[in-house]
Amino acid sequence: MRPLSSISQPTGSLGSVTAMRRLLIAVAALSLLAVACGNDDNTTADAATTTTTTTTTTTTTTTTLPPPPFPTPAASTLEGVLGLGRPLVIGHAGGDRSWPHSTMFGFREAAVAGTDVLEMDVMLTGDGVLVVQHDDTVDRTTEATGRVRDLTYDELQALDNAYWASGEWGNHDLPVEEYTRRGIRTGDREPPPGYTPDDFRVETFRNVAETFPDHVLDIEIKVPRDDDGNDDLEFAIEGARVLADEIEALGRTDSVIVVSFNDDVIAAFNQFAPDVATSPGTSALTDWFLADAPLLPSHRVLQIPPVFEGLDVPIDILRLPGFLDKAAEQGLAIWVWPNNAATQENPDFYESLLEFDIGGIIAGSPELAVERYREIGAIP
């Protein structure tokens, strides 16, 4: 690993805030100590004059609500969800168009809404911890800047992962009042009922997997950039190895599917975890369709990428002559990422995909997909 760099925080220093809080706590503690150590004798030396002081103590009780319960999904293994015989609603990054991207708050809200599968991205921190994180920098979601690979787990968890959260994740140009989740992580704003500031941090893969033991997880291994701005396959493959170890340790080999758009990374993961289901990368998917190249035996789902050169993703791919038939003949399910947030992340588009008999929609607003699919009877 390279030496860790300091976090750049243009909007304020977390260290300064932390130091101020510690100072206030210390002052409060000293004040209480002074009261406790004061003179308990309320009688003066003059016997003729007696003064009595009555102290009234008011105790404030804070009620902490439990997190909102979420339903047990209809199936808890990959084979189980693929066998439901209906379209699956898959929450992209916990529903990044409705809730803060890749936060426990988002994943839990997606589960409450009735999402079948939770989709997430993973990569390694500078000290080798596997975290749920989309970009290889923290710039788009937190108050800081810097590469994930250069930060420690503790440095990442101190950040406000909902700092830029809005209906347009990653947009830093909205009026400040649009960022309604900003400050929950740092204690400057109250969390929603049943949640805590920790639900708005950068989360570990292990904690997400343990929180949702009955949900199938769709896990994308991200490929971070090296110092020259190129894909660092070695670093990503090390992340694949750590992911394989954690899936085994958690007993999740039959309840996850792993994807990377880089086929070298997926091939490496398959060597580490041959019993775990996978999806092909972009090149393998293309070669499978155009050149009839065989897929890995572990490939169970074709995940239509959100970006593919020269095609209107996903519609043009789904309309390719023979594509759907070939997938069906080989027993391969099809899950689709909407590509355009402005025109595709809405109930009408989610419904329109059903004409292609897809297996699942990886939705940024999964609650809208669940609602529409229930309205039209596509899911119970």
Side-chain angles (χ1 to χ4, degrees):
M1 299 293 178
R2 294 178 175 82
L4 301 179
S5 65
S6 60
I7 310 176
S8 172
Q9 298 173 358
T11 56
S13 170
L14 288 176
S16 298
V17 174
T18 302
M20 180 61 72
R21 287 177 178 159
R22 289 175 177 170
L23 177 60
L24 291 174
I25 292 171
V27 171
L30 289 174
S31 299
L32 291 173
L33 183 62
V35 172
C37 296
N39 185 4
D40 290 334
D41 187 356
N42 293 320
T43 305
T44 67
D46 185 353
T49 306
T50 301
T51 304
T52 302
T53 302
T54 301
T55 302
T56 302
T57 302
T58 302
T59 302
T60 302
T61 302
T62 301
T63 302
T64 302
L65 298 175
F70 50 83
T72 301
S76 296
T77 66
L78 180 65
E79 292 305 319
V81 296
L82 294 180
L84 290 176
R86 62 166 176 81
L88 303 173
V89 177
I90 304 155
H92 180 258
D96 62 295
R97 299 297 169 183
S98 297
W99 308 293
H101 197 294
S102 299
T103 59
M104 190 64 80
F105 174 70
F107 288 120
R108 187 174 285 275
E109 287 294 294
V112 170
T115 302
D116 298 296
V117 178
L118 298 175
E119 188 272 347
M120 65 201 65
D121 313 278
V122 296
M123 65 179 61
L124 289 177
T125 65
D127 53 350
V129 178
L130 194 68
V131 292
V132 177
Q133 171 71 15
H134 183 278
D135 292 359
D136 61 355
T137 74
V138 298
D139 299 27
R140 281 210 289 176
T141 57
T142 80
E143 74 276 32
T145 62
R147 297 190 307 180
V148 174
R149 64 183 300 166
D150 294 329
L151 305 176
T152 67
Y153 164 74
D154 289 340
E155 288 172 331
L156 280 170
Q157 287 211 322
L159 301 179
D160 182 351
N161 204 27
Y163 190 83
W164 295 108
S166 68
E168 306 173 42
W169 88 273
N171 187 343
H172 293 190
D173 298 323
L174 300 175
V176 67
E177 59 269 18
E178 295 290 324
Y179 305 109
T180 58
R181 308 296 184 183
R182 179 180 292 182
I184 295 176
R185 175 75 187 107
T186 54
D188 298 320
R189 177 176 291 181
E190 285 292 317
Y195 290 98
T196 73
D198 282 351
D199 293 313
F200 297 83
R201 68 187 179 186
V202 177
E203 195 53 82
T204 66
F205 167 74
R206 177 174 288 268
N207 198 28
V208 174
E210 290 177 336
T211 300
F212 304 96
D214 297 318
H215 278 80
V216 171
L217 308 179
D218 182 20
I219 309 161
E220 181 185 345
I221 303 171
K222 285 296 186 180
V223 181
R225 290 165 291 181
D226 60 20
D227 292 340
D228 297 322
N230 302 314
D231 286 351
D232 192 337
L233 294 184
E234 182 179 352
F235 196 88
I237 288 172
E238 175 60 14
R241 184 193 65 77
V242 174
L243 175 61
D245 289 346
E246 294 214 356
I247 289 172
E248 176 68 25
L250 291 164
R252 299 298 301 261
T253 56
D254 64 347
S255 61
V256 301
I257 185 164
V258 176
V259 63
S260 174
F261 292 121
N262 186 291
D263 285 292
D264 291 334
V265 174
I266 279 297
F269 175 82
N270 181 248
Q271 293 295 311
F272 298 135
D275 296 329
V276 175
T278 56
S279 290
T282 304
S283 295
L285 179 62
T286 302
D287 292 343
W288 165 81
F289 180 67
L290 296 180
D292 206 28
L295 296 175
L296 290 174
S298 61
H299 289 336
R300 297 287 289 110
V301 177
L302 305 181
Q303 301 196 41
I304 306 303
V307 177
F308 197 81
E309 186 174 357
L311 294 174
D312 179 15
V313 181
I315 300 300
D316 279 358
I317 291 181
L318 296 174
R319 286 178 175 162
L320 288 172
F323 183 85
L324 294 173
D325 290 340
K326 185 173 184 177
E329 289 170 2
Q330 298 187 17
L332 298 167
I334 296 176
W335 294 355
V336 173
W337 268 283
N339 181 45
N340 189 312
T343 61
Q344 297 181 351
E345 292 285 7
N346 60 75
D348 289 340
F349 183 78
Y350 297 158
E351 181 179 348
S352 72
L353 289 173
L354 298 184
E355 71 174 276
F356 300 101
D357 197 26
I358 63 167
I361 171 72
I362 306 173
S365 294
E367 79 285 10
L368 300 183
V370 169
E371 182 180 18
R372 175 59 63 86
Y373 286 5
R374 284 176 176 165
E375 285 177 355
I376 63 177
I379 63 175

